[in-house]
């Protein structure tokens, strides 16, 4: 009896020792879509010509820090919902993860920024109001089409839509209080539309505003570049810290 028990115990131990370990999670086929906030504009150096793609952007940082089977960096500075046809070509049924920021250029991001920096309070307010009106009337249908296209081309992917932060600190050193409040009101309006359409499409939306709070342009610890004529394309875009501590952290909060 004792020999039989010892033999059984040895067999169990051998099975435990030789049993295969749990298989690691499969590498991810990742595609980064969207505009300049997804291409890494604001944190040079750049590749991709006028797309201003940066290895310091959140998408490249995510790919560098995770197991990926492929990474397609399709995001392009200046992109709108209606100029993403070439980006969509990066998607297929094997795509596992899609991230994007999109919508800011549809409502006149660049023109609004320049107007609020260089023109009067009333001109700034008008530019923001026009952007909010575009966000409420034109953008929803465009976002619906964008999300549906992604779903159709990458039916098995997790789709993560990242929002935009409030650009300037309420008590920051640049612009005046009226313009700062107007710009941040515009960011809130854009958040409301993008989050609602993402929810309707069944894709994951991540609000960037709270995470970036205290790190807007012209504050004491900025994650966003302030306006500069010499570096116009980078104005009011995340800096290196903004992409790493801001957007990469937000994407990691969803993907791990």
């Amino acid at each position: 009896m004792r020999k039989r028990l010892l033999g059984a115990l040895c067999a169990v131990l051998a099975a435990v020792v030789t049993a295969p370990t749990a298989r690691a999670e499969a590498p991810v086929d990742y595609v980064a879509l969207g505009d300049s906030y997804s291409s890494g504009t604001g944190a040079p150096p750049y590749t991709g010509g006028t797309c201003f793609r940066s290895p310091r952007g959140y998408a490249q940082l995510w790919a560098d820090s995770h197991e990926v089977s492929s990474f397609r960096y399709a995001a392009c500075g200046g992109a709108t919902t209606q100029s993403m046809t070439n980006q969509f070509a990066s998607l297929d049924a094997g795509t596992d993860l899609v991230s994007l920021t999109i919508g800011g250029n549809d409502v006149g991001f660049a023109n609004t920024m320049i107007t609020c920096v260089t023109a009067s309070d009333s001109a700034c307010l008008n530019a923001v109001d026009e952007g909010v009106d575009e966000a409420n009337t034109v953008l929803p249908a465009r976002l619906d089409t964008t999300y549906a296209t992604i779903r159709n081309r990458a039916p098995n992917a997790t789709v993560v839509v990242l929002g935009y932060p409030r650009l300037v600190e309420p008590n920051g050193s640049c612009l005046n209080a009226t313009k700062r409040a107007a710009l941040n009101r515009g960011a809130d309006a854009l958040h409301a539309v993008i989050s609602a359409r993402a929810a309707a499409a069944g894709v994951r939306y991540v609000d960037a505003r709270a995470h970036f709070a205290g790190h807007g342009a012209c504050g004491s610890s900025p994650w966003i570049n302030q306006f500069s004529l010499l570096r116009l394309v980078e104005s009011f875009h995340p800096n290196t810290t903004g992409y790493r501590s801001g957007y990469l952290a937000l994407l990691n909060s969803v993907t791990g």
Side-chain angles (χ1 to χ4, degrees), residues 122-193:
S122 60
C124 175
L125 291 172
N126 287 337
V128 171
D129 288 342
E130 289 175 7
V132 170
D133 183 63
E134 289 284 301
N136 289 326
T137 59
V138 176
L139 187 58
R142 293 183 179 181
L143 290 174
D144 289 348
T145 298
T146 298
Y147 301 151
T149 301
I150 294 171
R151 279 295 195 199
N152 288 336
R153 288 180 173 266
N156 302 309
T158 297
V159 182
V160 181
V161 177
L162 298 163
Y164 299 98
R166 296 187 182 103
L167 295 177
V168 291
E169 283 303 296
N171 298 314
S173 60
C174 60
L175 306 178
N176 60 36
T178 298
K179 291 179 176 181
R180 293 195 300 268
L183 288 175
N184 290 337
R185 174 170 58 84
D188 290 342
L190 195 56
H191 152 77
V193 173

Side-chain angles (χ1 to χ4, degrees), residues 13-200:
L13 290 174
V16 170
V17 170
T18 59
T21 58
R23 188 174 63 179
E25 188 173 333
V28 174
D29 186 342
Y30 173 36
V31 179
L33 305 177
D35 55 25
S36 53
Y37 272 57
S38 287
S39 71
T41 305
Y46 302 116
T47 60
T50 56
C51 281
F52 294 99
R53 296 189 190 104
S54 171
R56 297 174 177 174
Y58 78 82
Q60 184 69 64
L61 295 175
W62 194 94
D64 290 344
S65 58
H66 291 76
E67 289 291 328
V68 295
S69 53
S70 67
F71 171 49
R72 282 161 281 184
Y73 206 172
C76 187
T80 67
T81 55
Q82 297 184 304
S83 69
M84 293 181 66
T85 301
N86 291 337
Q87 295 190 35
F88 292 145
S90 297
L91 302 171
D92 57 40
T95 303
D96 299 305
L97 173 65
V98 177
S99 69
L100 73 156
T101 55
I102 199 68
N105 293 320
D106 289 76
V107 300
F109 170 82
N111 177 68
T112 300
M113 297 304 102
I114 292 172
T115 299
C116 285
V117 170
T118 64
S120 65
D121 287 2
S122 60
C124 175
L125 291 172
N126 287 337
V128 171
D129 288 342
E130 289 175 7
V132 170
D133 183 63
E134 289 284 301
N136 289 326
T137 59
V138 176
L139 187 58
R142 293 183 179 181
L143 290 174
D144 289 348
T145 298
T146 298
Y147 301 151
T149 301
I150 294 171
R151 279 295 195 199
N152 288 336
R153 288 180 173 266
N156 302 309
T158 297
V159 182
V160 181
V161 177
L162 298 163
Y164 299 98
R166 296 187 182 103
L167 295 177
V168 291
E169 283 303 296
N171 298 314
S173 60
C174 60
L175 306 178
N176 60 36
T178 298
K179 291 179 176 181
R180 293 195 300 268
L183 288 175
N184 290 337
R185 174 170 58 84
D188 290 342
L190 195 56
H191 152 77
V193 173
I194 296 175
S195 62
R197 301 328 304 160

